[in-house]
Structures are given as structure tokens and as C-alpha cells.
């Protein structure tokens, strides 16, 4: 069991002495609203009772040294040249250093990282690491950040690691509240707490396949970002709406006719052709923080847009169901979300389908993949009395792990 005490002891064993700061950054489970955040449309996650702990102490030599019990290879990164890390988890440290370049320049830090939040995709271990490291370093260097600011910097830091993340995970981790889900909106930014009713428990289950955002998963994720941007650009053109900057489906989702026009979108299109068709600059569609997207590569457009627009409606409906305590309706919406992710967003896998189906069959109100998909974890909503049965069914389906999670407080100093 990881605790503030055990991480202090771990820090002492690795670096000697006491950390000046210990931060707890929880994981998150998104209840509904998948592949909507990067379109500027709402999400409904919880922060969970599994977390990454980071113990930090400042040093004078301008080097970040970090050891993690979960990941291989100790990090040793010079603050003067934080980029270009080959070890994937070091890229998040490097991104964090980049965002904190102006804070106590010249100082370094020792970090010891431990926790009980599994990596593997879906529970936001990468964002917990990034939000936690940014928060711990800023505090260790004498400039503590408000959680919302740590979330903002972590979002940019993760984009530098390659995936054009929408910002849900970092805010859920920073701002979570026990007993509540968070409805996070992006256009304009807003967070509202949604109390979870009695009689509702959550189980998460590993599909047996990692979905870490390196290589092909990052590419698949970015393809959906580009496909939805093309959809937004073309829908805006059909509706006669002027969009500034990056085209987002959230800019047109509120227009009644958008839901009807979506069937007019092309099945597939390359960013270059979409930009030509509406006389827009192609950079607006493929502009990413660091990664490159081939403007001639055809990507699905219509079905990604259909998923996103329908998913945004399900987020609203889920909030209404929770407020009414209608847990069966809430469960149905989770199932419909999974179907849409499988059929239209095409980000499920046979193992995710199998574990979600097994959890439904064993008494869950509903179940769906959580996070980006392509592997990783699924979540089920169930009556508390069914938790054990749902866990056992999930383990029987894919080998586990599967466990209950509860809605918990966000980022804290331990
Ligand atoms: P996961 O797969 O849990 O890291 C990713 C994005 C989210 C969101 C979901 C899909 C990152 C760090 N997070 O979550 O912002 O877009 O996919 O809803 O890339």
C-alpha cells in the first residue's frame, strides 16, 4: 500500500534525506464523453482513489533526476536542454521542465515516484505523472501553483510528448472532488460538480492490451483529432458559419442543422483536400504541438463526426440521469457510448468489447471503454451489491486486473 510515509522512505533510500514536497496526483476514469474534449465538447470524468505519488527536493545543479517504481530507466535531464528523450516516460518530465522553464532557472530537483495507479491506458497515468511532477517541482522551487494552473501547464507539456490531448484528464486530476463527477466544458472553459447518487458503484477492468500513447496509438488518436477538425471545417462551410483558428466540432454542435448536415460529410478526406474545398489554410487542420500529420493522408470524417456529436448529447443526458437517480438510464447511455465508439469512432478492440459485455451480463447497469480506447481499461457502473460479481466476470473475461474505484479528491499535497 503506497502512502505519504512509504514514498518519503523511498525517497530517502534513493537520494538520502527528506523530500521537501510530496504530491498525490490521482488517476481519472471518464464516465462518458469520449473523444469529445479535443472537439471542445463536454466530458464527465471522476478522479479516482488510485494515485501517483511524487516526492521532490530541490537541488542546486540544474539537473532533474527521477526514479519511478513503475517505469524503467532513471531519468537525468538537464534543465538547459530538456527535449529529445528516448524513454517514453522521460518525455513527460521533459515536457514538464519545458513548461516550468521560467521557474527558478538553474535549480534542479530529485524526484521519487511511486503509486498504485496502473499504467496501460485509460486511467490517465501519464497525466497524473505530468500534473503531479509539474505541481511538485513548482512547489519544491518555491512557486507553488493553483491546481487549475498545474492542469493547464500539464496539458501543453503532454502535447509536446506527441498526442494532441484535449485537456480532460489534467483537469479531472487537478480538480476532482470526492463523491462527484466533474462536467468539464471547453468552449468557454468551465467546471461543474455533478453529485453521484446513492446506489452507484464503479468497476474498472483491464482489457489485457496496453494502449500507451507511443507509436501507433498516438497516431490513431491524432487521426481522430484531424478527422473531426475536417468535419468542423466542412460543416461550418455548409452552415455559412465563420470559424476562427482551429476548427472544432464544438463550434458548430449547438446549431440545430449541424446534426442533419453531418450525413452530407464525406466518408473520408485528406486535410489538404478539405482545406482546398473551403479555401482554408491546411495548417488550421493539421497544426499540432510537435507531431507531424501528413496533409495528403485520407482520414475518416463522417463517422468520427457522428460519434462526437452523438456523444456530446449523451453527456447531457447522463448528467440528467444522474440528477434524477435513474441509474438504468445512465447505464444505457454508457452502453450506447461504447457502441458508438466501436462502430463510428472505431477505437474499441475485441478485448474491450468482451470485457464490457461480461460486466454488463454480470449485473452492471452499463459498461464502456474509458479513455482513448485501442486497448487499456473499460468502466462499468453497477449497484454496490454487484461489485464483486462484476469484478469476477471481468477477470474471467480478460485475466484482469479489475477493481472498484470511487470518486475521490483531486491533486493534493500529502
Ligand atoms: P487517455 O487514453 O486516458 O490518455 C485520451 C486523452 C483525453 C481524451 C481521451 C478520449 C491524453 C493524455 N488524454 O485519454 O484528453 O481525448 O483520450 O476521450 O491524450
Amino acid at each position: 500500500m503506497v502512502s505519504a510515509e512509504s514514498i518519503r522512505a523511498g525517497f530517502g533510500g534513493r537520494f538520502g534525506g527528506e523530500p521537501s514536497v510530496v504530491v498525490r496526483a490521482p488517476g481519472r476514469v471518464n464516465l462518458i464523453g469520449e473523444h469529445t474534449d479535443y472537439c471542445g465538447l463536454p466530458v464527465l470524468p471522476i478522479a479516482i482513489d488510485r494515485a501517483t505519488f511524487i516526492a521532490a527536493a530541490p537541488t542546486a545543479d540544474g539537473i532533474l533526476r527521477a526514479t519511478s517504481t513503475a517505469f524503467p530507466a532513471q531519468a537525468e535531464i538537464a534543465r538547459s536542454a530538456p527535449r529529445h528523450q528516448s524513454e517514453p516516460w522521460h518525455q513527460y518530465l521533459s515536457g514538464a521542465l519545458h513548461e516550468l522553464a521560467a521557474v527558478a532557472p538553474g535549480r534542479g530537483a530529485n524526484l521519487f515516484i511511486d503509486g498504485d495507479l496502473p499504467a496501460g491506458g485509460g486511467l490517465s497515468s501519464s497525466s497524473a505523472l505530468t500534473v503531479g511532477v509539474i505541481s511538485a517541482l513548482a512547489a519544491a522551487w518555491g512557486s507553488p501553483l493553483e491546481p487549475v494552473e498545474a492542469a493547464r501547464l500539464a496539458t501543453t507539456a503532454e502535447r509536446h510528448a506527441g498526442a494532441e490531448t484535449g485537456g480532460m484528464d489534467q483537469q479531472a486530476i487537478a480538480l476532482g472532488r470526492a463523491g462527484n463527477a466533474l462536467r468539464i466544458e471547453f468552449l468557454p472553459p468551465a467546471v461543474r460538480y455533478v453529485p453521484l447518487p446513492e446506489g452507484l458503484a464503479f468497476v474498472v477492468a483491464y482489457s489485457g492490451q496496453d494502449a500507451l500513447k507511443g507509436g501507433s496509438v498516438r497516431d490513431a488518436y491524432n487521426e481522430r483529432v484531424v478527422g473531426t477538425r475536417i468535419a468542423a471545417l466542412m460543416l461550418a462551410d455548409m452552415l455559412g458559419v465563420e470559424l476562427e483558428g482551429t476548427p472544432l466540432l464544438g463550434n458548430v454542435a449547438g446549431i440545430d442543422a449541424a446534426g442533419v448536415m453531418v450525413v452530407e460529410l464525406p466518408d473520408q478526406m485528406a486535410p489538404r483536400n478539405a482545406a482546398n474545398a473551403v479555401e482554408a489554410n491546411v495548417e488550421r487542420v493539421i497544426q499540432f504541438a510537435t507531431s507531424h500529420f501528413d496533409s495528403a493522408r485520407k482520414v475518416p470524417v463522417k463517422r468520427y463526426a457522428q460519434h462526437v456529436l452523438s456523444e456530446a448529447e449523451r453527456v447531457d443526458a447522463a448528467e440528467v440521469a444522474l440528477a434524477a437517480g435513474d441509474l438504468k438510464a445512465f447505464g444505457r447511455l454508457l452502453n450506447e457510448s461504447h457502441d458508438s465508439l466501436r462502430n463510428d469512432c472505431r477505437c474499441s478492440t475485441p478485448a474491450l468489447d468482451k470485457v464490457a459485455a461480461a460486466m454488463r451480463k454480470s449485473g452492471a447497469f452499463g459498461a464502456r471503454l474509458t479513455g482513448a480506447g485501442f486497448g487499456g481499461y473499460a468502466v462499468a457502473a453497477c449497484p454496490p451489491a454487484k461489485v464483486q460479481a462484476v469484478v469476477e466476470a471481468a477477470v474471467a473475461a480478460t485475466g484482469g486486473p479489475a477493481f472498484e474505484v470511487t470518486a475521490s479528491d483531486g491533486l493534493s499535497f500529502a
Side-chain angles (χ1 to χ4, degrees):
M1 170 85 179
V2 183
S3 64
E5 288 67 43
S6 71
I7 187 147
R8 281 177 193 279
F11 181 94
R14 165 69 181 87
F15 296 108
E18 281 279 310
S20 59
V21 173
V22 176
V23 165
R24 174 188 175 276
R28 73 94 183 87
V29 168
N30 190 19
L31 301 182
I32 196 160
E34 220 63 87
H35 288 269
T36 50
D37 62 348
Y38 54 75
C39 299
L41 287 162
V43 292
L44 198 71
I46 56 173
I48 59 172
D49 52 332
R50 298 266 185 144
T52 296
F53 287 80
I54 295 133
T59 60
D61 63 1
I63 309 278
L64 179 70
R65 292 184 184 80
T67 297
S68 160
T69 55
F71 298 110
Q74 300 190 5
E76 191 158 318
I77 307 173
R79 287 197 71 190
S80 52
R83 288 276 179 253
H84 310 303
Q85 304 302 318
S86 50
E87 189 64 47
W89 75 278
H90 295 180
Q91 290 172 18
Y92 298 111
L93 303 178
S94 165
L97 287 180
H98 187 262
E99 294 311 303
L100 294 174
V103 179
R107 302 196 75 188
N110 292 333
L111 301 184
F112 180 77
I113 301 163
D114 196 2
D116 56 7
L117 176 63
L123 304 185
S124 276
S125 57
S126 65
S127 299
L129 176 70
T130 314
V131 174
V133 164
I134 285 181
S135 181
L137 286 176
W141 289 334
S143 300
L145 296 167
E146 289 296 328
V148 70
E149 183 61 5
R152 193 183 65 77
L153 295 179
T155 304
T156 318
E158 284 201 61
R159 286 187 187 146
H160 278 282
E164 203 61 19
T165 163
M168 148 171 69
D169 304 350
Q170 300 80 359
Q171 292 191 62
I173 288 162
L175 304 173
R177 184 181 286 177
N180 286 263
L182 298 84
R183 180 188 167 102
I184 305 175
E185 300 194 0
F186 303 91
L187 295 175
V191 173
R192 186 166 72 229
Y193 291 98
V194 178
L196 294 168
E198 293 285 311
L200 179 59
F202 298 107
V203 169
V204 294
Y206 183 53
S207 65
Q209 295 166 327
D210 273 0
L212 299 174
K213 289 228 178 34
S216 64
V217 169
R218 180 172 69 195
D219 199 49
Y221 181 86
N222 288 345
E223 177 187 288
R224 282 145 184 85
V225 176
V226 168
T228 58
R229 287 182 187 176
I230 293 175
L233 198 64
M234 303 200 72
L235 278 175
D237 188 65
M238 291 176 199
L239 295 163
V241 176
E242 282 285 328
L243 295 187
E244 302 272 313
T246 306
L248 302 176
L249 279 171
N251 294 125
V252 294
I255 304 170
D256 271 354
V260 181
M261 301 296 259
V262 76
V263 296
E264 307 289 326
L265 288 170
D267 289 334
Q268 296 212 342
M269 201 170 213
R272 183 189 290 170
N273 298 344
N276 284 344
V278 303
E279 292 178 21
N281 179 348
V282 69
E283 288 300 314
R284 289 176 59 199
V285 178
I286 58 170
Q287 182 84 61
F288 285 174
T290 50
S291 40
H292 170 77
F293 201 93
D294 177 2
S295 70
R297 176 172 146 197
K298 277 191 176 178
V299 300
V301 175
K302 189 197 299 186
R303 62 174 189 248
Y304 290 167
Q306 283 173 327
H307 164 71
V308 168
L309 295 176
S310 66
E311 184 77 351
E313 288 178 3
R314 283 187 288 272
V315 174
D316 293 346
E319 202 185 330
V320 171
L322 287 175
D326 187 346
L327 301 180
K328 288 197 170 139
F330 180 68
R332 270 197 304 277
L333 289 159
L334 299 197
N335 295 343
E336 286 167 23
S337 169
H338 186 86
D339 290 347
S340 176
L341 287 160
R342 185 188 57 222
N343 300 336
D344 285 336
C345 193
R346 307 264 172 122
C347 62
S348 191
T349 63
L352 281 167
D353 296 343
K354 184 175 176 193
V355 76
M359 292 198 287
R360 286 173 201 145
K361 228 175 140 188
S362 61
F365 297 121
R368 54 183 286 281
L369 70 85
T370 184
F374 316 109
Y377 275 76
V379 60
C382 63
K386 295 281 185 186
V387 164
Q388 192 58 28
V390 170
V391 166
E392 282 167 14
V395 172
T398 54
F403 47 89
E404 184 179 9
V405 292
T406 53
S408 302
D409 286 334
L411 191 72
S412 62
F413 288 88

